[in-house]
Amino acid sequence: MTSINVNGKVHDLGDVPDDTPLLWVLRDHLGLTGTKYGCGIAECGICTVHIDGDAIQSCITQLGEVGDSEITTIEGLSEDGSHPVQKAWKQHGVPQCGYCQVGQMMMAAAMLQSNNDPSDDDIDSEMWNICRCGTYPRIRAAIKSAAKEMQAK
């Protein structure tokens, strides 16, 4: 029997095969549908979650690779939307269609854990997720606002 630690809770997955992509474990077996499917080949970043605080693409990460790691999805970033990144996304009205935004927020939150004062170049380098609506200027502004809040804590 396989178990997985997601958002601080251990879930028994029964006989879910080890080669199942983490994305489908989260969505289909645990009902955590905040993480979205985009490309299936880790080129768009829409499926980004955290494993032990690092941003990873869940579409290419197999269940068997996770082990005892702590997985955080958008549902676990904060229960009430109070994470600085989530608040900044609302403040700056970042989403247009919204499809990529969960992956964008998860990537930004991971980046800000290791660099809470990113330059524009840092943001451009780390935030490689694709946004077809082109909300990149609002994403950058939201990241800078979230960074300021995180610095104040």
Side-chain angles (χ1 to χ4, degrees):
M1 179 177 297
T2 301
S3 64
I4 189 172
N5 182 341
V6 180
N7 300 331
K9 297 177 185 172
V10 176
H11 301 269
D12 290 325
L13 296 174
D15 59 356
V16 175
D18 282 348
D19 63 350
T20 304
L22 179 58
L23 172 65
W24 301 119
V25 172
L26 296 170
R27 291 183 61 81
D28 295 347
H29 297 278
L30 299 182
L32 298 171
T33 57
T35 305
K36 306 294 184 212
Y37 175 80
C39 66
I41 57 173
E43 290 291 324
C44 69
I46 289 173
C47 67
T48 302
V49 298
H50 298 170
I51 293 187
D52 294 331
D54 295 324
I56 63 97
Q57 282 57 62
S58 63
C59 68
I60 61 163
T61 303
Q62 295 182 357
L63 176 60
E65 298 173 61
V66 173
D68 294 331
S69 299
E70 293 183 20
I71 299 162
T72 305
T73 67
I74 192 69
E75 293 92 346
L77 201 55
S78 73
E79 290 183 17
D80 60 359
S82 63
H83 187 280
V85 170
Q86 291 170 311
K87 290 182 352 187
W89 246 246
K90 289 179 187 175
Q91 174 189 355
H92 289 275
V94 173
Q96 187 163 319
C97 84
Y99 197 77
C100 72
Q101 296 305 312
V102 169
Q104 300 278 4
M105 285 188 281
M106 294 302 289
M107 188 71 81
M111 176 185 64
L112 291 172
Q113 286 301 315
S114 61
N115 179 1
N116 71 354
D117 190 20
S119 67
D120 287 346
D121 287 341
D122 294 334
I123 294 170
D124 291 345
S125 171
E126 293 293 321
M127 296 296 297
W128 56 265
N129 303 48
I130 294 171
C131 175
R132 292 183 181 183
C133 299
T135 65
Y136 302 111
R138 294 192 307 252
I139 290 169
R140 180 181 287 124
I143 289 170
K144 290 190 177 263
S145 291
K148 285 180 185 172
E149 182 176 339
M150 293 172 86
Q151 291 165 12
K153 288 185 178 184

